[in-house]
């Protein structure tokens, strides 16, 4: 997605930033490489001057800026040190904000909006909403480009204003809670030949409302919030088809978008505690997010696969749980409360549900884990809660809480467990066809390499409601 061969990279020009000379600009034009980036580190200080980054766009298009961002003294796990915020402008126009939740460098990619062919300037400022402990932001490996791949998807990506709780809330909420982390798009054919539907989704670090945390871990396999945001039909030329734009409104309703656009970017706002959107934006929201949505979800994978590609998102999610006091101390897999995230096996599997045989509730599927040290104990992803089993089909994610310190080598087997989600069982079979990955988080809350995979076909029925999918001798 970022290879030089598949992108037109903007030529950066101008003076040095934070003492880092743009050495490529000193060469004769014919000798300059096709891709030029800023060497060294750009430092944006609290109370310090804005940093500017001149660039030349080789053509009209959507610009994207990438860098590794860090903020010394910042940690999303500590109150008063949650993040540093950088405001990013293009030619004096506010493009996006960057929330930096870590003192360690994290690769980030943000949209800058549409630019015309020619010279432009990116301006970086230390912004309001930064935690008291934050004093500066360091950006390394900075470059600006106009991607040719997925250009139409970038063109229609939503701008999402931060949640403010207007008129009485904290206008900088997303600098400390439920911050947007990632965005991506998916496409499918429209009814009109040659047209496409583009749907955009985002990942927030958590949700302050909606599904409670233990149910999130059981039913979705993470504590982040993932929501589709905006959907639109485009024609053969990539132009928006009037009247087709919709968004996910409060109560997870789908409303027609009637708000304003910046070029082709709809402007929405996170307006509920569970990160649903409104197309009426509160006055002067200080934070806004135009995330790079040029990526898409791998075919046949759960939405959580986009987090797997960006492991730092798991760390941010865990740190928010720690800071907000949502972690049970000590962790106990026998309770339904959320324990230390490092004690969970994170699993993605694929399932389908057959036709119902009679009236009643559809079956969900949970996973069970047995350990070598105590194979008589079954640790269930649903904690024996019927509504915490997974009813939806396709690739899905869940977690299984295990005793602290458990590793993959301690696991004897992983089982699929059929469980009706209501009072009556409609008799439908449920077929599990794969385990796509299984991992624990390391001491830093980052995913360890997946070492659990399985493919096959196991059908669970009312008469035979469980089956072993993976065992340590066969996995």
């Amino acid at each position: 997605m970022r290879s030089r061969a598949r992108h037109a990279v903007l030529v950066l020009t101008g003076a040095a930033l934070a003492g880092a000379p743009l050495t490529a600009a000193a060469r004769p034009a014919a000798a300059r490489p096709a891709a030029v980036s800023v060497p060294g580190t750009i430092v944006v200080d609290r109370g310090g001057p804005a940093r500017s980054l001149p660039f030349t766009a080789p053509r009209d298009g959507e610009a994207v800026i990438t860098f590794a961002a860090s903020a010394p003294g910042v940690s999303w796990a500590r109150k008063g040190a949650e993040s540093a915020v950088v405001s990013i402008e293009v030619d004096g126009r506010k493009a996006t904000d960057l929330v930096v939740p870590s003192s360690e460098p994290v690769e980030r990619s943000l949209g800058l909006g549409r630019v015309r062919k020619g010279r432009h300037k990116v301006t970086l400022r230390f912004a309001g909403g930064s935690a008291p402990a934050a004093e500066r932001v360091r950006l390394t490996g900075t470059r600006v480009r106009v991607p040719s791949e997925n250009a139409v998807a970038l063109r229609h990506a939503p701008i999402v204003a931060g949640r403010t709780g207007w008129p009485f809330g904290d206008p900088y909420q997303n600098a400390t809670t439920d911050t947007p982390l990632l965005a991506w798009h998916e496409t499918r054919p429209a009814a009109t030949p040659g047209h496409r539907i583009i749907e955009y989704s985002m990942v927030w670090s958590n949700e302050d409302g909606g599904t409670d945390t233990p149910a999130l871990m059981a039913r979705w396999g993470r504590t982040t919030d993932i929501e589709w945001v905006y959907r639109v039909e485009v024609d053969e030329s990539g132009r928006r088809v009037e009247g087709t734009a919709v968004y996910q409104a409060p109560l997870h309703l789908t409303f027609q978008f009637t708000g304003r656009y910046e070029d082709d970017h709809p402007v929405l706002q996170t307006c509920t505690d569970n990160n649903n959107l409104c197309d009426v934006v509160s006055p002067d929201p200080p934070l806004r997010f135009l995330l790079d949505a040029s990526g898409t979800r791998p075919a046949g994978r759960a939405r959580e696969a986009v987090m797997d590609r960006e492991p730092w998102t798991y760390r941010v999610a865990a740190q928010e749980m720690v800071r907000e006091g949502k972690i049970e101390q000590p962790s106990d897999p026998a309770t339904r409360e959320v324990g230390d995230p490092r004690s969970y096996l994170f699993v993605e599997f694929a399932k389908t549900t057959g036709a119902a045989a009679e009236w009643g509730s559809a079956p969900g599927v949970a996973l069970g884990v047995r350990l070598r040290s105590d194979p008589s104990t079954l640790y269930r992803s649903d904690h024996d809660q019927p509504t915490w089993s997974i009813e939806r089909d396709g690739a899905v994610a869940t977690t299984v809480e295990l005793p602290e310190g458990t590793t993959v080598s301690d696991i004897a087997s992983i089982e699929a467990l059929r469980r009706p989600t209501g009072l009556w069982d409609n008799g439908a079979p449920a077929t599990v066809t794969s385990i796509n990955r299984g991992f624990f988080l390391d001491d830093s809350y980052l995913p360890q390499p997946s070492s659990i995979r399985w493919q096959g076909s196991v059908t669970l029925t009312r008469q035979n409601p469980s089956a072993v999918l993976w065992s340590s001798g066969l996995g």
Side-chain angles (χ1 to χ4, degrees):
M1 187 167 63
R2 297 180 182 173
S3 66
R4 295 180 180 179
R6 300 176 73 178
H7 290 285
V9 180
L10 303 182
V11 178
L12 305 179
T13 62
L17 286 168
L22 297 180
T23 54
R27 305 173 189 168
R32 294 176 190 168
V36 181
S37 59
V38 178
T41 302
I42 301 171
V43 179
V44 184
D45 284 311
R46 181 191 291 271
R51 299 297 184 181
S52 62
L53 170 62
F55 67 87
T56 300
R59 64 172 186 276
D60 295 353
E62 293 289 326
V64 173
I65 187 168
T66 59
F67 37 62
S70 61
V74 157
S75 171
W76 198 248
R78 297 201 314 272
K79 188 175 181 179
E82 295 91 345
S83 73
V85 182
V86 174
S87 173
I88 303 177
E89 301 174 357
V90 177
D91 301 332
R93 164 186 59 81
K94 177 73 172 286
T96 186
D97 286 293
L98 167 70
V99 173
V100 183
S102 174
S103 60
E104 298 179 10
V106 172
E107 293 286 340
R108 303 296 297 273
S109 187
L110 306 174
L112 296 177
R114 184 168 178 79
V115 297
R116 300 290 184 183
K117 179 180 178 180
R119 293 176 60 81
H120 301 276
K121 182 172 71 172
V122 173
T123 302
L124 308 163
R125 304 178 191 275
F126 199 92
S130 298
E135 293 295 334
R136 65 182 50 86
V137 172
R138 301 179 184 274
L139 307 176
T140 59
T142 304
R143 62 180 183 140
V144 183
R145 55 198 170 91
V146 177
S148 55
E149 185 179 20
N150 293 319
V152 173
L154 283 169
R155 172 179 166 182
H156 296 278
I159 296 167
V160 176
R163 191 172 68 205
T164 63
W166 185 86
F168 303 116
D170 175 8
Y172 292 99
Q173 288 180 44
N174 290 138
T176 59
T177 184
D178 295 8
T179 197
L181 302 177
L182 301 174
W184 81 94
H185 77 279
E186 299 181 40
T187 62
R188 64 175 184 269
T192 302
H195 288 204
R196 291 177 290 160
I197 305 292
I198 308 178
E199 181 176 283
Y200 297 87
S201 297
M202 288 177 58
V203 180
W204 285 262
S205 58
N206 187 227
E207 56 178 337
D208 288 337
T211 305
D212 68 6
T213 305
L216 276 174
M217 290 292 273
R219 299 185 63 241
W220 301 98
R222 30 81 182 176
T223 60
T224 57
D225 187 25
I226 301 180
E227 306 283 355
W228 77 269
V229 173
Y230 174 74
R231 187 164 59 235
V232 67
E233 180 178 336
V234 298
D235 64 16
E236 300 94 328
S237 300
R239 293 178 299 222
R240 181 177 70 253
V241 177
E242 292 300 324
T244 65
V246 296
Y247 67 99
Q248 184 172 188
L251 302 178
H252 300 288
L253 298 174
T254 299
F255 283 178
Q256 185 171 9
F257 179 79
T258 59
R260 68 181 180 89
Y261 288 90
E262 293 184 12
D263 294 316
D264 285 311
H265 300 285
V267 181
L268 293 155
Q269 182 168 29
T270 308
C271 61
T272 70
D273 284 347
N274 62 332
N275 302 316
N276 290 162
L277 288 300
C278 293
D279 64 355
V280 176
V281 178
S282 63
D284 301 318
L287 297 178
R288 63 185 246 155
F289 303 94
L290 179 53
L291 304 180
D292 177 2
S294 60
T296 192
R297 175 170 42 154
R301 295 293 304 278
R303 296 182 301 171
E304 291 71 24
V306 301
M307 291 181 56
D308 297 352
R309 289 190 307 215
E310 303 284 350
W312 62 274
T313 58
Y314 284 90
R315 180 172 60 197
V316 171
Q319 289 176 331
E320 189 158 332
M321 294 298 98
V322 171
R323 173 164 48 85
E324 294 183 351
K326 295 180 179 179
I327 304 299
E328 180 183 39
Q329 296 289 345
S331 296
D332 184 356
T335 72
R336 297 172 182 174
E337 300 306 312
V338 173
D340 188 326
R342 294 167 292 194
S343 67
Y344 285 80
L345 179 66
F346 289 74
V347 189
E348 180 191 322
F349 66 101
K351 62 177 281 285
T352 57
T353 305
E358 57 192 70
W359 183 88
S361 62
V365 173
L367 294 184
V369 172
R370 298 184 190 274
L371 302 181
R372 292 173 180 268
S373 60
D374 181 17
S376 64
T377 300
L378 182 66
Y379 298 92
R380 299 177 62 113
S381 63
D382 63 359
H383 283 275
D384 210 25
Q385 283 277 102
T387 58
W388 287 7
S389 63
I390 300 176
E391 184 178 351
R392 65 191 183 278
D393 283 343
V396 298
T398 188
T399 60
V400 183
E401 186 178 6
L402 298 167
E404 289 188 89
T406 300
T407 66
V408 171
S409 63
D410 297 320
I411 296 174
S413 63
I414 299 175
E415 303 176 20
L417 310 168
R418 180 185 180 276
R419 177 71 179 268
T421 55
L423 295 177
W424 292 277
D425 186 341
N426 70 7
T431 300
V432 180
T433 55
S434 69
I435 295 177
N436 296 329
R437 51 90 163 141
F439 59 75
F440 289 95
L441 303 182
D442 65 17
D443 289 344
S444 300
Y445 301 107
L446 296 175
Q448 300 183 48
S450 172
S451 55
I452 296 177
R453 287 184 175 85
W454 169 84
Q455 285 189 323
S457 182
V458 170
T459 298
L460 310 175
T461 65
R462 185 159 46 191
Q463 294 74 28
N464 297 288
S466 66
V468 172
L469 304 177
W470 180 94
S471 65
S472 57
L474 301 174

